[in-house]
Amino acid sequence: MKETKVMVLGAAGFIGTNLTYRLLKENCTLICLDLPESDLSFAEEHGAKVIKGSITDLNSRITGALDGVDVLFHLVSTTCPTNSNTHVAKELEDNILATVRLLDACVEHRVGRVVFLSSGGTVYGRGHKGLLKETDPTDPISSYGIQKLVIEKYLYLYRQMYGLDYRIVRLSNPFGPYQRPNGVQGLIAACTWKMLRKEPVEIYGDGSVVRDYIYVDDAIEGIMNVASDKAREKIYNLGSGNGMTVKEVVNLVGYMLHTRPQIVTKEARKVDVPVNVLDISRYVAEFGNPITIDMDEGIWRLAMFYERIR
């Protein structure tokens, strides 16, 4: 990222905040975009240019900022797996149509590369039992997963039609500082926050759902590697390559916080695939093992972060 112009869409979100902090350490010209109500003062104070707005309403201020951008990180989504499928038509307009218009602007303003944060947890669907490879069939069971996959396909199309370069990160379940503990995503964040407050933890179904988790610092370094010129492929799974059940995660958080979880069982959700663990061999072959912070250490760091802000 040395001496380049970089733009982050969704810079105030969980991944966006951590990525922005990482990019502020680089010798690059940084532009951060997020919604008008978002707080990007931390980026502005460190020299980044801040733009308030949305890709659903591409104005001249946003498109003009694309001029000369070498790397554009697209982290924006108006939905997540658990709340998609509700207003599908609006989701398509806010995410797919908005992204296509953004790609048109990228072509017009000669953006060097688009790095899109896709979903390793939803694009593959439920018909898998082993480690998921980038070449495996993709059959999402949520509108969120379909949207991510469609955007991936449009990136491929724009590469073929206009030469627009891109990279796709199919990320597993990241956790760490700046993740909202009361949001609709993030099992580890929710468990950590609630156990610190001695509140009950909600589990959907019998707790046997298996997921792949990665600490946010490792996720950010992985995203940076994929965004670089060193990446030979267009699509990379990024996760730990190991699965844990929901119950195992809850018990581990309890162990790290020296507390016994109070569990409330709720009805299983249709959007939850039974098993989702990413095969990260493509990433490892090029960049090495992405994991430097294990689950225990990551949970402890997150707990310390929440203790400081609550």
Side-chain angles (χ1 to χ4, degrees):
M1 294 296 165
K2 300 297 183 182
E3 299 179 357
T4 57
K5 186 175 181 181
V6 180
M7 189 169 182
V8 180
L9 308 181
F14 166 44
I15 299 294
T17 297
N18 283 279
L19 178 60
T20 297
Y21 272 119
R22 176 64 177 80
L23 287 167
L24 288 169
K25 299 177 182 178
E26 298 287 323
N27 183 27
C28 66
T29 300
L30 182 58
I31 305 169
C32 298
L33 179 139
D34 216 309
L35 297 173
E37 62 269 23
S38 62
D39 183 6
L40 283 168
S41 58
F42 73 96
E44 201 162 25
E45 288 168 1
H46 288 85
K49 178 180 179 181
V50 169
I51 300 175
K52 296 296 184 71
S54 170
I55 66 169
T56 60
D57 182 24
L58 280 181
N59 56 46
S60 58
R61 189 160 179 250
I62 298 173
T63 57
L66 293 172
D67 274 333
V69 166
D70 298 289
V71 181
L72 174 72
F73 289 95
H74 181 352
L75 315 180
V76 175
S77 178
T78 63
T79 62
C80 71
T82 54
N83 65 15
S84 68
N85 300 355
T86 305
H87 303 290
V88 175
K90 189 170 191 316
E91 292 171 23
L92 298 181
E93 183 174 350
D94 289 349
N95 294 294
I96 294 176
L97 290 180
T99 296
V100 169
R101 295 186 183 106
L102 172 69
L103 296 181
D104 285 336
C106 287
V107 171
E108 180 182 354
H109 292 270
R110 301 183 182 277
V111 169
R113 177 176 300 147
V114 176
V115 180
F116 175 60
L117 196 67
S118 188
S119 170
T122 61
V123 299
Y124 294 108
R126 68 165 67 247
H128 305 272
K129 296 180 180 178
L131 291 175
L132 295 160
K133 294 180 177 290
E134 292 89 347
T135 53
D136 282 347
T138 49
D139 297 298
I141 61 170
S142 69
S143 177
Y144 176 85
I146 291 172
Q147 292 165 43
K148 292 290 190 181
L149 191 58
V150 170
I151 292 172
E152 288 188 16
K153 297 299 184 183
Y154 273 112
L155 284 165
Y156 174 81
L157 177 64
Y158 272 63
R159 174 67 172 176
Q160 301 305 307
M161 292 197 307
Y162 306 112
L164 179 63
D165 194 16
Y166 71 93
R167 300 285 188 277
I168 293 167
V169 180
R170 289 180 177 169
L171 187 63
S172 66
N173 296 270
F175 70 99
Y178 303 104
Q179 190 168 23
R180 290 176 55 195
N182 57 347
V184 290
Q185 272 186 300
L187 172 66
I188 294 177
C191 288
T192 303
W193 179 259
K194 288 185 177 182
M195 287 190 209
L196 285 172
R197 296 162 63 91
K198 308 301 182 185
E199 296 177 357
V201 174
E202 294 178 348
I203 287 182
Y204 294 89
D206 61 3
S208 64
V209 166
V210 176
R211 290 292 181 269
D212 181 350
Y213 299 91
I214 183 171
Y215 188 67
V216 68
D217 288 0
D218 289 336
I220 295 303
E221 288 306 312
I223 292 169
M224 293 284 287
N225 282 334
V226 172
S228 72
D229 293 334
K230 298 176 184 177
R232 296 192 296 267
E233 302 287 346
K234 297 299 184 188
I235 301 177
Y236 292 86
N237 284 339
L238 180 59
S240 69
N242 296 298
M244 293 183 69
T245 67
V246 170
K247 278 189 175 180
E248 287 173 335
V249 170
V250 172
N251 289 333
L252 178 58
V253 174
Y255 173 78
M256 293 303 298
L257 301 184
H258 307 290
T259 186
R260 176 175 291 181
Q262 306 171 53
I263 297 175
V264 175
T265 302
K266 303 191 75 173
E267 184 179 356
R269 300 178 298 196
K270 292 182 179 180
V271 296
D272 289 332
V273 299
V275 179
N276 187 281
V277 183
L278 300 181
D279 182 318
I280 58 172
S281 57
R282 175 182 288 185
Y283 180 94
V284 171
E286 292 193 32
F287 305 109
N289 189 343
I291 304 304
T292 65
I293 301 165
D294 62 23
M295 287 277 288
D296 293 16
E297 175 66 19
I299 290 168
W300 181 250
R301 292 187 186 190
L302 177 60
M304 293 302 97
F305 174 80
Y306 284 157
E307 286 281 44
R308 290 196 301 270
I309 65 172
R310 72 178 181 141

